[in-house]
Amino acid sequence: MRPARLTRSADRLAVVLVAHGSRDPRAAASTEALARAVRRARPAWDVHASFLDHAGPRPLDVLASLPGRRAVVVPLLLTEAYHGRVDIPAVLAEAAALPIDVRLSDVLGPSPLAPTRAVPDALLDGLVRHLDAAGETHVGPAHVGAAHVGPDRARLDAVVLAAAGTRDAAARETISWAADALSARLGVPCVAAYASGAQPDPGVAVGLLRASGSRRVGMAAYFLAPGFLYDLAVHTAREAGAVTVADPLGDAPELVRLVASRVLAATGRALPAAA
């Protein structure tokens, strides 16, 4: 008979977070912090961080080492660009030979295949809170956190939603959906911008908003972790006159909630309304 401890381990749901990976050690540290936060929020799950490139371990190695029989792979991606459409499905194809039931969750951002342009509320909540925290700045008349911001705080009158960027037009469209949803949430204009792969870059977007009459432009970060492209977005936005820039989402509680909802959706369960 197998020891009880091993039996319990085999029955636990494994959650494998898959990040792109970066040469910048801050990115891996941020992903590991998110894995720890999900682990704390969901102690019944066996949560692991993995990386497609640069850092380790690789997702297939993690899947092969699991003692359990069930796993959900969660792409830590905000768009379904090349990594979401090609790299991660390739991992799942290789994992088919393993003695484990592996399911793939949706990416964390909106899907171009979805019937609506819905942007997850948790993602918007995280973007707003990080933007507010960037300079303790009241953002627009509809800001959900406006009650705790004093009248002496500066008000942003426009926002750039800066993303890493992609040449995939469908993926860029979902970033535009996120910018539109953020604009509606904040009650100010919001323009999507890209650190690479497409235009406008964040600096150009800040300049366009300032030229249209906005005087206090902030940068929201459509990034999960810091790295070269995030730093580039910050640099170009500040050079163009952005008055505040937000941090990447990192291990934000909103992101933990979003990861949990993706896992539960992949297993056919729903996240409780109070979660």
Side-chain angles (χ1 to χ4, degrees):
M1 179 179 293
R2 300 174 68 187
R5 183 180 64 83
L6 294 181
T7 301
R8 288 196 300 270
S9 180
D11 290 339
R12 294 177 72 195
L13 175 67
V15 174
V16 181
L17 309 181
V18 183
H20 175 268
S22 169
R23 292 185 179 88
D24 190 321
R26 294 175 299 165
S30 179
T31 301
E32 294 286 358
L34 176 59
R36 289 192 297 272
V38 175
R39 204 174 293 130
R40 288 193 298 270
R42 295 282 173 167
W45 293 350
D46 183 19
V47 183
H48 302 263
S50 66
F51 306 87
L52 292 170
D53 201 2
H54 301 300
R58 298 290 185 264
L60 188 63
D61 294 336
V62 172
L63 289 168
S65 70
L66 293 174
R69 294 184 289 266
R70 301 177 301 136
V72 175
V73 169
V74 182
L76 296 185
L77 303 169
L78 291 171
T79 68
E80 288 187 353
Y82 184 85
H83 301 296
R85 290 186 293 102
V86 177
D87 287 343
I88 292 180
V91 171
L92 270 290
E94 292 184 80
L98 299 175
I100 182 171
D101 175 25
V102 182
R103 301 190 183 189
L104 177 64
S105 85
D106 290 338
V107 298
L108 301 182
S111 168
L113 302 178
T116 67
R117 298 184 174 188
V119 178
D121 285 339
L123 181 55
L124 287 175
D125 291 345
L127 290 170
V128 169
R129 188 171 63 80
H130 277 64
L131 186 59
D132 186 43
E136 295 184 323
T137 305
H138 177 18
V139 190
H143 182 199
V144 293
H148 73 270
V149 181
D152 57 324
R153 302 292 173 85
R155 180 191 299 273
L156 296 182
D157 52 15
V159 171
V160 170
L161 180 63
T166 173
R167 293 184 176 86
D168 187 309
R172 289 199 307 275
E173 186 177 13
T174 67
I175 299 171
S176 294
W177 299 350
D180 291 344
L182 188 59
S183 176
R185 174 74 69 90
L186 299 175
V188 299
C190 182
V191 174
Y194 311 96
S196 69
Q199 287 293 323
D201 69 36
V204 169
V206 170
L208 290 172
L209 288 168
R210 286 171 57 82
S212 69
S214 297
R215 288 294 169 261
R216 296 188 58 81
V217 181
M219 189 197 92
Y222 207 60
F223 288 84
L224 298 178
F228 172 76
L229 291 178
Y230 169 74
D231 289 347
L232 181 61
V234 169
H235 175 73
T236 59
R238 286 204 180 279
E239 285 286 299
V243 296
T244 188
V245 296
D247 289 335
L249 291 165
D251 61 347
E254 297 88 354
L255 198 59
V256 172
R257 192 167 86 240
L258 180 53
V259 168
S261 72
R262 292 297 194 243
V263 171
L264 294 174
T267 59
R269 298 170 59 197
L271 188 67

